[in-house]
Amino acid sequence: MEPSLSIPLRLYREGSASFYSTDLEHLRKMGLSYTKAPVFYNPRMKLNRDVTVSVVRSIGAESAADLMAASGVRPLRLALEAGVNEVAANDSNCLAVHVIRMNARLNGVRMRITCSDARLEAERMASEGIRVRYLDLDPFGSPAPFLDSFLRAVKRGGLIGVTATDTPPLFGIYPEKLFRYYGVVGRKIPPHKEFGIRALISFAARIAARLDLVIRPVLSYGREHYVRVFLSVDRGPSISNRVLRESLGWVEVCDDGYKFHTGVEIPRAECGELMGPIWLDQITDLTFLNSVNPLNAEVESLISAIASEVGGPPLYIRLDDICSRLRVRMPKIREVISSLREKGYFASRTHLEPLGIKTNASRAEVEEVVRNLTAS
Ligand SMILES: C[S@@+](CC[C@H](N)C(=O)[O-])C[C@H]1O[C@@H](n2cnc3c(N)ncnc32)[C@H](O)[C@@H]1O
């Protein structure tokens, strides 16, 4: 059943913004999912927007745009809570754009509001030289078709925040689509969530390189049904060459653990299946992270979880995977982490997976720790 335009709007409040969007309760009573809303709004993505506000506030951006703005809640919040002076909102759904205009008036926020395809709008911004310091990319599903035009619309020295909800391909559940959309060879492995984030960043780095741009991830995380990366964007063909050489690479999935090969060329396999090219360098910059002033306790707890993982190897291992190989009961994850630290290894939990451990200990060393803990 097609949603009808007679679905009423409702007034919502999120952060400092009051705004109208589709009445989700009414939609639910009609048996329709929120994805069918004539004007899209997903309250479950509030944390995503809270993190965005925290990040944009920290960089002191004077200009920002959401070219897939739906109700306009994100650009409104950037204006009201992150103090951005020049805000632009666009959507290809002109009904949504009508609602954005209403919402901008309601909040007394001046915004550039357009109804266009996001790629055309980004290209237009770039060609007219009105690039923004912060650009948000928040599509339905994959950001891959939009990155090229969006990167052109970011000011050099600016940031792009990318959300991807097409996690099945990124996580290697659909390997063909992972290759088709992101140019990455892979299939689902136990640390699939971090693999997916690294596949997305690798894709962005290669798209940026075609434009003589260089991206660097400053903050990356995964939550519920999506992954999110904030990338700094700069000019520099020569830096871009170096980044591709030093930050991209391949993971070899071997029986005794993951081996990492830096560089874009396909390496010679030594012990297992090769997957890549993925981003092997840090996916979060600790200095940047420390500069972010969290908007609320939930953002603070996410940021501190991410901070504890920085410095670990590119992929976590999973305690359930280790224990099922060893056929032993599962010890407490914090005991495994303390034992590894006592032995002098880097060890931390990961916000991506309750049973994930980031450690530079080899699989054999982790297995020994697990055996000792389960024998006692
Ligand atoms: C996931 S929603 C964005 C949500 C919004 N950023 C927020 O934080 O609430 C995706 C939006 O993109 C719009 N959209 C989809 N394809 C588009 C395109 N090619 N150009 C512009 N907007 C598009 C949809 O109409 C929808 O409003």
Side-chain angles (χ1 to χ4, degrees), residues 40-83:
F40 184 86
Y41 172 53
N42 184 358
R44 275 171 61 208
M45 293 298 253
K46 175 177 177 292
L47 177 70
N48 182 307
R49 289 180 285 270
D50 287 349
V51 173
T52 308
V53 169
S54 307
V55 163
V56 175
R57 213 167 50 169
S58 78
I59 61 168
E62 68 295 342
S63 55
D66 180 350
L67 302 181
M68 296 171 148
S71 67
V73 55
R74 193 180 298 255
L76 276 176
R77 291 193 58 192
L78 290 177
L80 295 170
E81 296 168 55

Side-chain angles (χ1 to χ4, degrees), residues 40 49 66 68 70 73-74 91-92 116-118 138 140 146:
F40 184 86
R49 289 180 285 270
D66 180 350
M68 296 171 148
V73 55
R74 193 180 298 255
D91 204 285
S92 58
S116 175
D117 181 274
D138 182 23
F140 289 141
F146 300 97

Side-chain angles (χ1 to χ4, degrees), residues 14 42-56 66 73-74 77-78 134 136-139 161-165 219 221-230 295-296 298-299 302:
E14 192 185 286
N42 184 358
R44 275 171 61 208
M45 293 298 253
K46 175 177 177 292
L47 177 70
N48 182 307
R49 289 180 285 270
D50 287 349
V51 173
T52 308
V53 169
S54 307
V55 163
V56 175
D66 180 350
V73 55
R74 193 180 298 255
R77 291 193 58 192
L78 290 177
Y134 176 74
D136 204 277
L137 172 48
D138 182 23
V162 182
T163 301
T165 55
L219 169 57
Y221 70 94
R223 190 92 176 184
E224 297 185 357
H225 64 298
Y226 70 94
V227 296
R228 177 88 165 144
V229 296
F230 290 90
L295 193 64
N296 54 35
E298 207 184 347
V299 177
L302 176 66

Side-chain angles (χ1 to χ4, degrees), residues 68 147 163 165-166 210 222 237 261 264 284 299 317 335:
M68 296 171 148
L147 253 176
T163 301
T165 55
D166 60 331
R210 285 206 285 121
H261 304 267
V264 274
T284 290
V299 177
I317 53 165
E335 290 175 356

Side-chain angles (χ1 to χ4, degrees), residues 198-264:
R198 291 175 182 280
L200 173 59
I201 299 171
S202 150
F203 173 74
R206 285 176 281 123
I207 292 290
R210 285 206 285 121
L211 305 171
D212 281 343
L213 294 174
V214 54
I215 60 97
R216 281 237 165 242
V218 292
L219 169 57
S220 308
Y221 70 94
R223 190 92 176 184
E224 297 185 357
H225 64 298
Y226 70 94
V227 296
R228 177 88 165 144
V229 296
F230 290 90
L231 310 169
S232 69
V233 182
D234 263 304
R235 255 199 77 74
S238 58
I239 312 173
S240 184
N241 284 340
R242 204 184 69 226
V243 165
L244 295 188
R245 243 189 348 259
E246 295 176 1
S247 303
L248 293 190
W250 296 75
V251 51
E252 192 172 358
V253 183
C254 303
D255 267 352
D256 60 351
Y258 303 112
K259 289 201 166 37
F260 302 103
H261 304 267
T262 308
V264 274

